[in-house]
């Protein structure tokens, strides 16, 4: 398993590679620009050259782009929906230009319009994004804690999105351990991990998992509350992470830790590496 952090951008895209290298990452995740503003800053040819060169030199692979917080592809508002799709299209374009492998996005919420309508919106957004992005980068939908009217807390919802959209090859999912646990899948034991993966396999297919977000959870299972905790210090616990990082269905995946790192923070990557057998 390759481990990395979500790293901050400090100016040009290459700063993310430098930050990842300093933090000892094998892989990184970054925003395409400011996560609270619509509009993706374009990468120049020079940015792309510098990024690809630094990435190869540092051996950081894959690079994942995390969509901005404003994206809501389940939104009943045509304006928000349209902006969200455009934002993902520009993030996918940026990923292709920089040599990043995928764009991961939260799905959003249906705001009371009903789950079915939300799922149809998401499927339409997926198809529109991929049609408008002729490159190779994948679009990954992230599992959520399932709070309120948000979609993505149940694996069957992803199954429906795959069915309605026709399951394009470049569509995958990102499994976030904290979100899945908060959504109600008790993955704090090996048996619980296996049960959740079996459920996921039934509705989506294990081969569609392209990325892991490894975060422990401050909040209880089924609380629908998204509060990340350092590895082994939360409700999921060390033994579950030991099982996850050695699980044959997951071991080839990149894993991003979405926690504060550096300074006085715990060395989550070092800890996870120490849990890997052999
Ligand atoms: Zn996540
Ligand atoms: Zn989260």
């Amino acid at each position: 398993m390759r481990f990395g952090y979500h790293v901050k951008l400090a100016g040009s895209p290459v700063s993310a590679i430098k930050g990842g290298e300093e933090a000892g990452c094998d892989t990184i995740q970054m925003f395409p620009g400011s996560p609270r503003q619509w509009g993706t800053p374009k990468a120049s040819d020079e940015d792309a050259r510098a990024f690809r060169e630094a990435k190869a030199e540092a051996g950081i692979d894959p690079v994942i782009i995390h969509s901005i917080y404003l994206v809501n592809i389940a939104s009943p508002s045509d304006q928000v929906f349209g902006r969200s799709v455009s934002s993902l299209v520009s993030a996918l374009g940026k990923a292709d230009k920089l040599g990043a492998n995928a764009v991961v996005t939260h799905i959003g919420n249906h705001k009371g319009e009903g789950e079915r309508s939300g799922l149809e919106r998401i499927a339409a957004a997926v198809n529109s994004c991929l049609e408008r992005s002729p490159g190779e980068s994948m679009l990954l939908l992230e599992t959520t804690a399932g709070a309120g009217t948000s979609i993505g807390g149940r694996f069957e919802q992803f199954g429906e999105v795959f069915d309605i959209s026709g399951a394009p090859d470049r569509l995958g999912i990102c499994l976030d351990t904290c979100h899945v646990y908060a959504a109600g899948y008790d993955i704090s034991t090996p048996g619980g991990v296996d049960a959740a993966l079996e459920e996921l396999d039934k509705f989506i297919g294990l081969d569609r998992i392209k990325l892991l977000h490894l975060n422990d959870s401050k909040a209880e299972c089924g609380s629908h509350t998204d509060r990340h905790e350092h590895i082994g210090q939360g409700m999921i616990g060390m033994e579950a992470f030991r099982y996850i990082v050695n699980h044959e269905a997951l071991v080839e995946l990149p894993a991003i830790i979405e926690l504060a790192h550096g300074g006085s923070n715990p060395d989550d990557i070092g800890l996870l590496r120490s849990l890997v057998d052999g």
Side-chain angles (χ1 to χ4, degrees), residues 25-102:
C25 297
D26 309 315
T27 170
I28 57 166
Q29 177 176 283
M30 61 195 254
F31 288 124
S34 163
R36 296 179 199 282
Q37 269 171 34
W38 291 111
T40 306
K42 283 242 178 330
S44 67
D45 291 346
E46 171 53 26
D47 285 341
R49 194 194 54 75
F51 189 90
R52 285 169 178 268
E53 220 172 81
K55 174 178 179 291
E57 249 167 57
I60 290 183
D61 185 55
V63 169
I64 309 293
I65 292 183
H66 193 298
S67 71
I68 61 168
Y69 296 133
L70 305 171
V71 165
N72 182 3
I73 52 173
S75 174
S77 149
D78 288 335
Q79 193 193 25
V80 172
F81 179 84
R83 282 179 157 188
S84 298
V85 169
S86 298
S87 176
L88 291 176
V89 168
S90 59
L92 286 161
K94 192 161 191 172
D96 283 318
K97 181 143 191 180
L98 296 177
N101 304 61

Side-chain angles (χ1 to χ4, degrees), residues 66 106 142 174 176 179 213 215 228 258:
H66 193 298
H106 294 180
E142 180 167 349
C174 165
D176 184 309
H179 299 174
H213 280 171
N215 307 300
H228 298 183
E258 297 174 301

